[in-house]
Amino acid sequence: MMGPAHSLSGAAAWLGVGAAAYGAGYPMPWPVLVSGTLICAGAALAPDLDHKAATISRAFGPLSRWLCDVVDTLSHAAYKATKMRGDSHRSGGHRTLTHTWLWAVLIGAGMSLLAMEGGRWAVLGILFVHMVLAIEGLLWRAARVSSDVLVWLLGAAAAWILAQEMDLPGNGASWLFTEPGQEYLWLGLPIMLGALVHDIGDALTVSGCPILWPIPIGRKRWYPLGTPKPMRFRAGSRVELKVLMPAFMLLGGLGALGALGYI
């Protein structure tokens, strides 16, 4: 899928989690609901850091382009080192390592640990990166015609405001994890969820997605999971633009109402 659809699916997923949490007796304070939705929308772009033309690879100028080269190289190396006889030859690392459940879990756990141990500046850094990505994804056309600096300033302002709000008593620093020293441990959850939602979205397209790596399926370790082939579509097709994106908006709206206790 394309960036806007990935971001919408990530936002809808976290709002759905908010509705489920409300029903389970763990309602999200509004800063957690808002920041988690935006983080998940941004994190749903992150697996494509292995592709030079992806939104995330352009979002932070030379730094993200350099990271793209590093991730693509590492992903390709991991593919070559672990592929089985049935896996095809590849010349790059796109849709390999960063498109797996293991990557999603590790990146989410890593961000949780960083947020919990790194203090306020680590939280601000995580928020800033994902706010910028959320702006790039959700406001794709507007972000494309704006300067990078303007998008970065908007992301920094959103990160600062949300961090200030979550630091207030009862506003979410200790949501779900309430023991001393566990502040912001939850922050990795929308990051992990965003990566998984991205993978599921890519599994709907014609190429599929190797979500289950390193678990082998048949003669392939990088088996591209997906829906039945007649149901798949190309990224950017009318199915994505006219069916899935409106569906994500509807599901996100229902999730928000559920998270706020209105339904």
Side-chain angles (χ1 to χ4, degrees):
M1 290 196 300
M2 303 295 285
H6 278 309
S7 284
L8 278 174
S9 68
W14 187 255
L15 290 168
V17 169
Y22 185 92
Y26 298 96
M28 294 180 183
W30 74 263
V32 173
L33 185 64
V34 172
S35 59
T37 298
L38 293 173
I39 290 170
C40 201
L45 298 178
D48 277 344
L49 189 56
D50 58 8
H51 193 292
K52 291 181 179 180
T55 300
I56 185 174
S57 301
R58 297 178 282 100
F60 299 96
L63 175 60
S64 54
R65 289 194 291 271
W66 173 77
L67 282 174
C68 173
D69 289 337
V70 172
V71 170
D72 179 54
T73 300
L74 290 176
S75 297
H76 190 214
Y79 182 87
K80 290 193 297 183
T82 62
K83 72 184 184 75
M84 296 173 64
R85 184 173 298 179
D87 290 309
S88 61
H89 172 75
R90 298 181 66 103
S91 59
H94 182 48
R95 283 203 187 183
T96 56
L97 183 60
T98 61
H99 288 68
T100 65
W101 70 270
L102 184 59
W103 175 272
V105 171
L106 290 177
I107 201 71
M111 291 299 103
S112 283
L113 183 62
L114 177 62
M116 187 174 62
E117 299 292 340
R120 179 175 177 80
W121 288 107
V123 171
L124 279 170
I126 293 170
L127 286 172
F128 168 70
V129 168
H130 290 89
M131 293 305 106
V132 169
L133 293 177
I135 294 166
E136 293 277 4
L138 297 175
L139 302 178
W140 180 72
R141 293 188 184 279
R144 278 292 181 90
V145 299
S146 301
S147 69
D148 287 341
V149 174
L150 181 60
V151 174
W152 298 341
L153 288 174
L154 184 56
W160 186 268
I161 291 169
L162 288 171
Q164 290 283 90
E165 290 296 329
M166 285 190 290
D167 276 344
L168 297 176
N171 265 14
S174 299
W175 175 74
L176 201 59
F177 301 97
T178 57
E179 296 297 320
Q182 293 184 344
E183 292 82 5
Y184 293 109
L185 183 58
W186 65 269
L187 212 58
L189 296 177
I191 295 172
M192 179 180 68
L193 180 61
L196 290 173
V197 168
H198 178 108
D199 297 344
I200 294 169
D202 278 353
L204 301 177
T205 64
V206 292
S207 300
C209 188
I211 302 173
L212 293 183
W213 179 88
I215 301 170
I217 299 177
R219 297 168 60 245
K220 296 182 177 181
R221 195 177 301 279
W222 296 89
Y223 185 86
L225 285 180
T227 53
K229 288 189 176 180
M231 297 175 60
R232 300 187 191 186
F233 57 88
R234 293 190 177 278
S237 67
R238 289 180 61 85
V239 173
E240 179 179 331
L241 299 176
K242 302 297 184 181
V243 178
L244 290 182
M245 289 180 66
F248 294 149
M249 293 180 189
L250 176 61
L251 291 172
L254 292 173
L257 292 174
L260 295 172
Y262 290 112
I263 58 173

